[in-house]
Amino acid sequence: MKKVFDFFKNTTVRIISGILLLLFLLSIFLFFDFYVRQLNKGVSFYWVYRGDKYYKNNKTQKAIDCYKKALVYYPDHYKARYNLANIYVVYEDYYSALEQYARTLDIKPDFMIARIDYALVLSSATFNHDRAIEEYQKAIDKKPKWVYIPFFINNRKTYKYNTGIAYYNMGLAYRAKSLLVGENKFSARQYLYDAIDAYKKALKNIKNYEIYYNLGLANQLLKNNEEAGVNYCKAIELAPLRYEAHYNLAILLRDMKLYRDSLEEFKKAGLILDLDGESTKTRYIYDVLSDVTQKMVQKGDYKYLVEHIDEKGYKDGYNEAELTYVGGKLVVSEEFDRAVLKNFKTCSAKVHFETIEKE
């Protein structure tokens, strides 16, 4: 009885195995193209994996070779095309980069960061600002499906940040358009207002030095002096050791005839550049500083100038007593360091601009 049972058991197993094998072979025959595509995808993913490793290690040529091999096996691998485009940008092969970005977006239209990068190259490398603005808007409008896994994924935050970046770059594109219209002052002003609108939308999503600085610059170009000052001050608070906002604010204050405050901002800009070794720019700033000083003399503001050039040094919360020698080297105390940072972070005419902002 046991032998009979074993015979049927083995026979059943053999029959089922044979049927499954036949079905598998039949599926290969019927879906041969499908299996080939899956095999090619697997090979493609392997080459992308290799390419990513080379890319992270800055071996860009080897990365390019790997991505190209991956695309031979699977042309719709959007990540390979996106990384390939990024490398072409590094090599300044902008038209090849644009081609790869465009093909990436054909495959994955909601790839937001790829669309932003695509628009950025369109604007900065080929000066196609109109097309770039369209792409930035597409990136903002094409919301991805929301994915939230606690501690791992929250693409709402990523979308918000990328939206801010898109609006900021859109503002830069509008400002560039304002510079290209030449003598058409009406169009130039309109593009600057468009830039301001884009910067303000960017600030609803992210707040950083570059956005506030460029918002201040656009307002300064439009002679909106108060708004420009408010935004330069906010930029300075976020990045007190960036000279551009100090310098532009100094120019703005000079034009507003607020010479004392202008003098302080010129000094800060000059000191920052001096520390960075930018001797040519520093020399220019001190030439303008001299001009402001002469205007103060003409205005009769001698007392302020004398008070700020006495034997005690700076009057902004620190002095030379906080400098000392350690091991034959000149060093500063932590108090001095903090005082300097506080001084640079304090925006000249801040009270004036804050009053205007509240109004």
Side-chain angles (χ1 to χ4, degrees), residues 235-292:
I236 287 167
E237 287 172 6
L238 289 172
L241 298 181
R242 296 278 295 271
Y243 91 92
E244 304 97 330
H246 288 291
Y247 174 74
N248 281 16
L249 179 59
I251 295 291
L252 178 72
L253 293 168
R254 185 193 65 180
D255 293 343
M256 295 173 71
K257 296 183 170 37
L258 298 172
Y259 297 122
R260 291 187 181 187
D261 297 311
S262 176
L263 185 74
E264 293 305 312
E265 291 302 324
F266 273 125
K267 281 198 276 188
K268 291 174 188 176
L271 285 169
I272 293 168
L273 284 173
D274 204 22
L275 288 170
D276 290 341
E278 297 277 359
S279 58
T280 304
K281 290 180 182 177
T282 306
R283 205 159 38 244
Y284 173 74
I285 284 180
Y286 283 119
D287 285 342
V288 183
L289 179 62
S290 175
D291 177 62
V292 173

Side-chain angles (χ1 to χ4, degrees), residues 6-22:
D6 289 341
F7 172 78
F8 278 107
K9 182 181 178 182
N10 293 335
T11 303
T12 303
V13 170
R14 289 189 187 115
I15 291 170
I16 292 172
S17 298
I19 291 171
L20 290 174
L21 179 61
L22 286 171

Side-chain angles (χ1 to χ4, degrees), residues 84-132:
L84 197 55
N86 290 338
I87 294 173
Y88 284 140
V89 170
V90 172
Y91 283 141
E92 299 185 2
D93 185 358
Y94 298 118
Y95 289 99
S96 295
L98 289 172
E99 179 187 356
Q100 293 303 326
Y101 283 134
R103 296 188 70 176
T104 300
L105 293 167
D106 287 339
I107 299 163
K108 191 172 175 61
D110 64 346
F111 195 173
M112 189 174 188
I113 193 65
R115 197 173 291 280
I116 291 171
D117 289 341
Y118 179 45
L120 187 59
V121 175
L122 281 168
S123 181
S124 60
T126 67
F127 307 106
N128 192 344
H129 304 300
D130 291 322
R131 178 71 187 283

Side-chain angles (χ1 to χ4, degrees), residues 147-199:
V147 179
Y148 177 65
I149 302 174
F151 308 111
F152 288 99
I153 299 173
N154 184 359
N155 68 345
R156 282 181 184 272
K157 287 185 177 180
T158 305
Y159 171 76
K160 183 179 179 182
Y161 177 80
N162 289 339
T163 298
I165 294 296
Y167 274 127
Y168 168 65
N169 286 325
M170 187 187 292
L172 294 180
Y174 275 124
R175 196 187 76 190
K177 279 172 67 73
S178 76
L179 297 173
L180 292 174
V181 294
E183 296 181 358
N184 192 334
K185 292 184 179 180
F186 176 80
S187 295
R189 290 178 64 82
Q190 186 55 55
Y191 288 139
L192 285 172
Y193 281 119
D194 291 335
I196 288 172
D197 182 60
Y199 295 141

